Amino acid sequence: MSAPAPHPLFAGITGAPGPVQRRAMAKAITLLESTRADHRAQGDALLTALLPHTGQAFRLGLSGVPGVGKSTFIETLGLYLIAQGHRVAVLTIDPSSSVSGGSILGDKTRMERLSVHEQAYIRPSPSSGTLGGVAEKTREAMLVCEAAGYGVVIVETVGVGQSETAVAGMTDMFVLMQLPNAGDDLQAIKKGVMEIADLVAINKADIDPHAATRAEAQITSSLRLLGQHGRPEHARHDTALWHPRVLQISALEGRGVDAFWAAVEDYRRLQAANGRRDARRRQQAQAWMWERIEAGLKHAFRAHPQVQALLPALQADVLGGRVAASTAARNLLHAGGFIDSLAIK
């Protein structure tokens, strides 16, 4: 898997990776994350120009509960991949405070060695209330990294739990990290991230090898069970299809990283050969379009003059218990032109 050639915008003076390229990437992602109307128009033009230079990188999504060791593993994996000749971009999502709205954005501190390597690029972004463990403009940031010539783009999610599935809808492979002794047998078969995981990595296996072996057996069994019910193709022994695997790793000691990447390479080759990677990306592009449509409609609704005029009074009625919330919502949608006719009782 060779690294794609970077777009001239990110190539710098000599065409090689360096500070000029990183600065251009940072400015491009900041532009795409901006909510200003003029910046959005510039961002659309930028994405259109970059699009022909995207699509060649491998997109890897990584999720897991807080404390599972995602950042430590990404640094270990990133350094391993760089030694193999890859250029690695990491997009990390930091949870935003529900009180202050701020984010720490401290993932670069956790990846001290990888963050200073010239063959790596790390961009932390706040979740800003976006559900699913990713940021609103993570997809756009991925395209910037691909256009800059990074062959592997890793998306590290917030780490919120079983409902964190959005990253699987924007990457080629979804990896779930688990801990030994993280729950009972029923915990291993709970649906959500488990049933859409392409690979499960049990981290910190060095702490309790026996617990890690038990967890591997339990998760392997539950993946088979979930495959038989939710994803029947995973239950058949078809060599043309990928069957989710479970691996033991130790990010701190660097154990199992080579086996992990070998499994990723097997997955990549198989998905490219059977056409599922291209089909998955087409579905993701369509879902991305509808997601942006929904976000645009919500923004247009809130900015509509008649909605803004009615909102304070209706909101006060809802808070005072005089109008049902559903009725107020329909009234506002009607005022904004989203509903043609409305019967108000």
Side-chain angles (χ1 to χ4, degrees):
M1 184 170 58
S2 58
H7 187 280
L9 176 66
F10 306 119
I13 298 175
T14 62
V20 174
Q21 182 199 49
R22 290 189 184 191
R23 184 170 182 267
M25 289 178 65
K27 292 179 69 175
I29 295 175
T30 299
L31 175 67
L32 292 168
E33 290 180 341
S34 175
T35 57
R36 284 177 44 176
D38 56 335
H39 285 175
R40 287 185 176 183
Q42 294 175 25
D44 289 342
L46 175 63
L47 277 181
T48 301
L50 296 182
L51 207 56
H53 297 264
T54 64
Q56 300 303 311
F58 183 76
R59 306 166 182 172
L60 183 68
L62 193 71
S63 183
V65 297
V68 75
K70 296 188 295 295
S71 297
T72 303
F73 175 66
I74 288 175
E75 178 173 58
T76 303
L77 176 63
L79 293 173
Y80 172 83
L81 293 177
I82 289 172
Q84 302 298 314
H86 299 284
R87 296 182 63 208
V88 180
V90 182
L91 303 175
T92 67
I93 316 301
D94 206 43
S96 297
S97 170
S98 58
V99 178
S100 66
S103 297
I104 298 176
L105 302 179
D107 291 285
K108 280 190 175 183
T109 304
R110 291 194 183 107
M111 306 177 197
E112 186 176 356
R113 291 179 297 161
L114 185 63
S115 62
V116 299
H117 203 291
E118 64 176 9
Q119 297 298 318
Y121 177 78
I122 301 176
R123 171 75 180 207
S125 296
S127 62
S128 300
T130 303
L131 299 178
V134 296
E136 184 180 6
K137 297 299 178 69
T138 300
R139 292 179 178 87
E140 288 87 340
M142 286 173 55
L143 295 181
V144 170
C145 295
E146 292 183 359
Y150 288 86
V152 179
V153 180
I154 302 174
V155 181
E156 179 196 353
T157 68
V158 168
V160 293
Q162 294 165 354
S163 63
E164 188 176 301
T165 59
V167 69
M170 62 179 67
T171 55
D172 298 324
M173 185 178 195
F174 176 52
V175 176
L176 176 63
M177 294 185 67
Q178 294 280 66
L179 287 169
N181 288 325
D184 53 20
D185 294 357
L186 289 177
Q187 191 72 24
I189 64 174
K190 284 186 177 180
K191 296 187 178 181
V193 289
M194 183 69 74
E195 63 183 343
I196 62 172
D198 299 303
L199 183 65
V200 178
I202 302 172
N203 193 25
K204 303 184 181 181
D206 55 299
I207 297 178
D208 191 341
H210 296 294
T213 300
R214 287 195 303 270
E216 180 180 3
Q218 290 173 2
I219 294 172
T220 300
S221 177
S222 29
L223 285 175
R224 290 198 187 114
L225 180 62
L226 291 173
Q228 291 172 354
H229 293 278
R231 302 175 75 176
E233 70 274 12
H234 285 182
R236 297 195 300 266
H237 298 284
D238 189 342
T239 56
L241 297 174
W242 173 259
H243 305 286
R245 301 180 188 176
V246 184
L247 300 174
Q248 294 185 36
I249 60 173
S250 172
L252 191 62
E253 297 182 354
R255 285 170 36 197
V257 177
D258 51 351
F260 173 89
W261 189 247
V264 172
E265 289 280 39
D266 289 344
Y267 174 88
R268 184 186 64 84
R269 283 190 294 266
L270 188 60
Q271 297 297 90
N274 61 25
R276 293 201 164 201
R277 193 209 71 163
D278 293 338
R280 182 170 178 164
R281 287 193 175 185
R282 287 193 296 269
Q283 293 173 355
Q284 290 173 351
Q286 187 177 23
W288 180 19
M289 180 188 72
W290 281 108
E291 180 184 299
R292 301 319 306 153
I293 289 173
E294 291 173 2
L297 287 172
K298 184 177 180 180
H299 176 76
F301 171 75
R302 286 181 174 272
H304 196 281
Q306 293 187 18
V307 171
Q308 290 181 339
L310 286 176
L311 184 58
L314 279 173
Q315 188 167 291
D317 287 339
V318 171
L319 293 176
R322 294 180 294 273
V323 176
S326 57
T327 302
R330 286 195 296 271
N331 289 347
L332 289 168
L333 287 169
H334 176 60
F338 291 87
I339 296 179
D340 293 332
S341 60
L342 180 68
I344 305 178
K345 297 182 180 180

